[in-house]
Amino acid sequence: MEIKIENLEQIREAAREFINHIGNRHVFAFYGKMGAGKTTFIKAVCEELGVEDVITSPTFAIVNEYTSRKTTCSPLLQGGAGGESSIFHFDFYRIKKLEEVYDMGYEDYFYSGALCFIEWPELIEEVLPEDAVRVTIEEQPDGTRRVTIN
């Protein structure tokens, strides 16, 4: 599936389209060059899923946890206490060794049933779940973005 993002004003619409087509999958690996728009797109998806927290790239923290309060918008969100759900946002750009990923307990996140959005997954390919959805974001010559979901 492909989603074309013409401009930044259209990103929320693209995020809704993404949410409507991801089914029951939970782990999403976002590929793309620096500046392609991975964080911006993940931020829009999280906002559409009802996250009210400040959404930023977890470049230094490696993982950010957001709370979604909008559990009715997607069957993906597991209703927790008070109807809240966790969404985990990873940025593995600064990972130097795979041992760092083991030390952080990646399995607890990836196999929790919570949504996981992963930036720079190419650095941790060997530990990605087999059913991880590959999402590629590419900037086109005209400045638009193409989001490809495999």
Side-chain angles (χ1 to χ4, degrees):
M1 177 188 154
E2 282 190 8
I3 300 170
K4 186 173 183 180
I5 303 172
E6 299 284 343
N7 53 51
L8 199 53
E9 290 76 35
Q10 189 192 32
I11 198 161
R12 297 286 293 260
E13 180 183 322
R16 283 189 296 274
E17 187 176 346
F18 176 82
I19 291 166
N20 289 334
H21 288 92
I22 57 179
N24 292 322
R25 296 168 288 180
H26 296 278
V27 179
F28 299 86
F30 285 81
Y31 296 84
K33 294 180 180 178
M34 182 78 70
K38 297 180 297 292
T39 301
T40 303
F41 187 69
I42 290 170
K43 179 179 189 278
V45 169
C46 288
E47 289 171 349
E48 288 299 311
L49 289 171
V51 172
E52 296 173 359
D53 305 322
V54 175
I55 302 164
T56 59
S57 177
T59 301
F60 295 101
I62 299 176
V63 62
N64 287 344
E65 180 178 2
Y66 310 124
T67 302
S68 172
R69 290 167 178 77
K70 192 174 177 182
T71 59
T72 58
C73 69
S74 173
L76 293 172
L77 297 174
Q78 309 281 327
E84 297 177 348
S85 302
S86 291
I87 298 173
F88 298 108
H89 179 193
F90 299 85
D91 185 332
F92 289 116
Y93 182 74
R94 297 195 180 278
I95 291 294
K96 302 288 187 235
K97 297 181 291 185
L98 201 54
E99 288 77 28
E100 294 175 64
V101 180
Y102 289 110
D103 291 345
M104 71 174 286
Y106 77 93
E107 296 113 329
D108 294 338
Y109 297 103
F110 292 179
Y111 299 100
S112 67
L115 282 174
C116 294
F117 298 130
I118 303 165
E119 296 186 51
W120 300 103
E122 45 275 83
L123 300 173
I124 63 152
E125 282 290 335
E126 62 192 76
V127 299
L128 281 176
E130 282 184 28
D131 62 347
V133 178
R134 271 111 175 116
V135 180
T136 304
I137 300 180
E138 298 171 295
E139 183 176 9
Q140 303 302 297
D142 64 359
T144 63
R145 302 298 197 269
R146 182 175 57 212
V147 179
T148 306
I149 304 160
N150 295 317

